Amino acid sequence: MTEHVLVFGVGSDTPARMRAFGERTGQRVTASLMCRPEHLAGIVDIGAYERIVVVGRDASDEEWIALARSVHTVDPVTGIGSFHDDCRPQAAVVAQVLGLDACTPELVELLGDEHATRERLIRAGVEDAAAGEAESVGGLPAGDRYRVAALSEQGEHQVVAVVRTYLDPVGRGEVGHAVPAPLGSTARASVERRVVAALEALGVECGPTRTEVVLTGDGPRVLAVRLGADGDELGSMVTGATGVDLVESQFRQVLGEKVLPGIRAVLDAPGSPARGEALWFAGARARGTLVEVAGADGERPDAVTLRVVGVPGTDLAGSRDGFARLAWARAHAATAEEAVALAREAVGGLSFVIRFPASQGELP
């Protein structure tokens, strides 16, 4: 049996993983790619695609549809894959035209608008406060922040992991994550119930989602719901902590498989979650030019990975939250708390040399 998946946007290593999965299961899985020019640099293995169609940034839905039809004519498409946040609207429109299963254009549009999402949740009785733009940190909902990874299948929902997100107290940017979140059973259950209620109210039918939640004194509040699994380190942290690979689960759904029973079996197995995972960022709240990152060559446990992303010459002009990320550490341990301690210790051994201009600015 041959499956041909039309992938939209950044495919990363997913097409190669689909092909390898097909080889393990006795299927032939091929992939074609439709993307914008800026996505070409992110192609991990160009040989993983049968063909690549590059579409201009300002192209209309009609152009995407016409080009997708051309691909479908020469090589019938059996599934639509959209594994990152880019090009989801175009993937949804094409799937609808080709009669293939995928998130509807209406759902993609709804979840792309946080105000509309919240209004839907209010009408459904899941939330009771409208979204708005805060003018200060004090205007934000108080409480700890969480990111909830879930998988939906035919309108049925399963929370896979609750991730604790740690915020910088000054700029409110994210400085770290831990999974499983250090939560009591009652609080965790309330978070999971609220997320499932939100997914039901929004009409999510299939695929992975990540829901931003704040746990207040009045219980959990849903801040946003986004389609897809977390990418990069956060996604693999969820896999390490639970044994569930949400990216693989998503492409197996694209290939027509039912994955929810298997996920539940993994989550219910003795000893789950398997371990605690943590990710912690190191950075500087400063303006200037990065000269050197020192301390990265020291010895550290095998359970810790340290990655320096800031290179000499980087302009530290400040980010939206005022915190420029220059390195990160990922760690695993028996518990999330132990993993956080290991990751923070690793980034704590770094120091940054930054050059500041001597100019004192304009004269009065």
Side-chain angles (χ1 to χ4, degrees), residues 4 6 51 65-77 98:
H4 176 213
L6 185 56
R51 59 193 59 79
I65 292 169
L67 292 170
R69 284 189 185 278
S70 297
V71 173
H72 185 59
T73 298
V74 298
D75 191 354
V77 176
L98 296 183

Side-chain angles (χ1 to χ4, degrees), residues 92-147:
V93 169
V94 169
Q96 190 174 64
V97 169
L98 296 183
L100 298 171
D101 290 335
C103 291
T104 65
E106 293 77 17
L107 178 62
V108 173
E109 182 179 5
L110 173 64
L111 298 187
D113 185 334
E114 291 187 12
H115 292 276
T117 297
R118 193 156 192 87
E119 289 301 319
R120 175 72 64 84
L121 294 177
I122 291 171
R123 290 199 301 272
V126 177
E127 293 294 330
D128 58 8
E133 190 150 339
E135 296 181 359
S136 67
V137 172
L140 295 172
D144 295 334
R145 300 297 179 96
Y146 299 90
R147 183 174 300 179

